[in-house]
Amino acid sequence: MVDKILFVCGSLNQTTMMHQIAQNLPQADSYFTPYFAEGVIGLAAKAHLADFSILGGRHQRATLAYLHQQKLKVDSGNKNKDYDLVVTGSDLIIPRSIQSSRLLLVQEGMLEKAGLRFELVKQNLIPRWFANTAAMGLSQLYDVFCVASEGYRQLFISRGIMPEKLVVTGIPNFDNAAAYLHNHFEKRGYVLVATSSIRETMKPDKRMDFLLKVKQLAKGKEIIFKLHPNEEPHRAIREIRSLFPKESILINGNLHEMIANSAMLIAQNSSAIFTALALGKQVYSDLDEEAMLKLLPLQNGGNSARLIAEQCHRLLASPLDVLRPHAGQVNLQRFFTFKFKKESSFKLPVWFS
């Protein structure tokens, strides 16, 4: 029998990562879906109330355009519901319909700082998606979690993730920075500014202070701005133009190739910082460079997708009752529990998380 695999996409970065993994599983019957939710959140997404996120809007359009361009089989929202394995780049929302399949989680990129919202998620007081990527892995509903580096493995363990579920494979798009040096981006030697989608994740962003810092660091050199794909572009362009009336502002394009041709990267908290550090570029960001070097994804010559595919094979060869010996017991992670008294509690259903 041919194994059926569903790849859950999201941002274009996640989508291309899923495609690379699927290419290393040529014998499987592979399908792809944009990121999706069920229940109340699913209804909100269908009403376009989540278009600012990977549940809809330009992210879903970009994912579907890529999947159709690559002639990949699409099963939007897991309508088939009969997959042997599901591979996803995020566990902030784990729809109930995929929880009965083997589940492999792949780290997408850099994590946000673990602040107050992360602590509230750990205490089951708010849904995981409120903490965005800081809460990655906290569902623990997956069978294997493929991570970028040993540094990240240790970070996830410190955040309460079960060590036996963590496998260091590296992650596609960040495992072969040297390959980006061979590109067709025409310009060279500029200062590249990569903005972030901090405000879109409901966090404060002193954007004008950041832009003033850019002006100070660039010292009159040519500047190219590359907007984060998740941020609202009209507002970002308006803010940049108030201080930089003539500099190039790019919405599309390969950021990694732009980094490869730049002399300096100025960023906030973009995962692309990893590419710049791997290529030895001068980097100014909101993050601690020494800490980032410890977390730097494995540079394994582009073999991460193959290593992740090997983990897929391992899961497919393992019966579910072996992977989840306690699956028949009540899974407390499917509920948010608010304890008012020792002997009583109030639970919200799985669709809320």
Side-chain angles (χ1 to χ4, degrees):
M1 294 180 63
V2 177
D3 294 314
K4 290 187 67 176
I5 303 177
L6 178 66
F7 292 90
V8 182
C9 305
S11 65
L12 196 56
N13 179 54
Q14 289 170 310
T15 302
T16 56
M17 289 171 67
M18 294 298 124
H19 188 197
Q20 291 175 66
I21 298 166
Q23 287 174 319
N24 282 270
L25 295 162
Q27 303 305 318
D29 188 13
S30 297
Y31 287 78
F32 297 79
T33 175
Y35 202 68
F36 70 101
E38 297 166 348
V40 170
I41 302 174
L43 292 173
K46 289 179 181 177
H48 302 286
L49 299 177
D51 281 0
F52 62 91
S53 72
I54 59 174
L55 283 170
R58 61 182 177 274
H59 302 292
Q60 189 174 91
R61 291 193 295 271
T63 290
L64 287 171
Y66 178 89
L67 297 178
H68 292 313
Q69 180 186 33
Q70 298 296 322
K71 296 181 172 57
L72 301 173
K73 291 187 286 188
V74 177
D75 178 18
S76 292
N78 185 26
K79 293 181 177 62
N80 290 339
K81 295 182 172 60
D82 62 344
Y83 292 96
D84 301 296
L85 170 67
V86 176
V87 183
T88 182
S90 172
D91 70 329
L92 299 185
I93 296 174
I94 301 285
R96 184 177 294 181
S97 66
I98 68 173
Q99 292 184 23
S100 58
S101 301
R102 299 169 183 83
L103 185 59
L104 185 143
L105 176 64
V106 180
Q107 182 182 347
E108 179 197 6
M110 187 177 294
L111 306 183
E112 294 186 13
K113 292 181 179 179
L116 175 61
R117 280 187 277 185
F118 170 82
E119 295 300 329
L120 292 175
V121 168
K122 287 198 69 174
Q123 295 299 319
N124 290 336
L125 295 176
I126 60 173
R128 291 184 297 276
W129 41 267
F130 263 110
N132 205 25
T133 59
M136 188 171 198
L138 289 186
S139 77
Q140 307 221 53
L141 294 173
Y142 46 82
D143 300 296
V144 169
F145 184 6
C146 295
V147 301
S149 63
E150 180 58 32
Y152 264 116
R153 181 177 181 275
Q154 294 303 320
L155 177 62
F156 283 119
I157 291 173
S158 73
R159 292 187 175 187
I161 309 302
M162 290 184 280
E164 60 270 22
K165 290 191 174 186
L166 295 164
V167 181
V168 179
T169 56
I171 50 176
N173 295 342
F174 293 95
D175 59 354
N176 190 15
Y180 295 119
L181 294 169
H182 309 287
N183 62 72
H184 299 290
F185 194 70
E186 295 180 355
K187 295 191 175 184
R188 297 285 191 281
Y190 46 83
V191 174
L192 179 64
V193 181
T195 60
S196 295
S197 58
I198 299 172
R199 290 174 289 196
E200 283 68 22
T201 57
M202 297 176 287
K203 295 181 180 178
D205 179 10
K206 298 180 180 179
R207 179 59 61 90
M208 298 311 296
D209 289 348
F210 172 72
L211 294 176
L212 288 170
K213 187 69 173 179
V214 169
K215 186 176 283 289
Q216 177 185 352
L217 291 170
K219 298 178 180 178
K221 298 177 183 175
E222 180 185 8
I223 301 173
I224 295 177
F225 288 89
K226 172 62 175 69
L227 302 187
H228 193 283
N230 291 2
E231 72 177 314
E232 204 288 301
H234 301 290
R235 174 177 57 183
I237 292 171
R238 184 172 63 251
E239 292 165 340
I240 292 169
R241 283 286 175 250
S242 69
L243 291 176
F244 301 91
K246 297 180 180 179
E247 281 72 9
S248 299
I249 303 174
L250 304 180
I251 297 177
N252 301 311
N254 190 313
L255 177 59
H256 303 286
E257 294 181 353
M258 298 176 197
I259 291 171
N261 291 2
S262 70
M264 176 195 302
L265 173 66
I266 305 175
Q268 292 174 281
N269 60 357
S270 169
S271 296
I273 292 170
F274 284 137
T275 299
L277 292 175
L279 292 175
K281 300 290 182 178
Q282 189 176 13
V283 178
Y284 292 93
S285 76
D286 295 340
L287 306 172
D288 180 78
E289 185 171 330
E290 184 177 348
M292 289 299 99
L293 286 170
K294 291 179 181 178
L295 298 173
L296 189 68
L298 291 179
Q299 298 300 299
N300 56 25
N303 279 310
S304 297
R306 178 182 61 79
L307 295 174
I308 295 169
E310 289 178 2
Q311 292 300 315
C312 293
H313 282 301
R314 184 173 72 82
L315 285 181
L316 288 166
S318 302
L320 269 173
D321 58 352
V322 174
L323 289 171
R324 305 172 188 174
H326 306 297
Q329 300 177 7
V330 176
N331 185 353
L332 297 180
Q333 291 178 342
R334 291 177 58 188
F335 299 95
F336 277 78
T337 303
F338 297 81
K339 294 186 177 178
F340 300 111
K341 297 180 181 179
K342 185 175 182 180
E343 67 276 8
S344 65
S345 63
F346 170 69
K347 296 177 179 179
L348 290 177
V350 66
W351 47 257
F352 193 73
S353 61

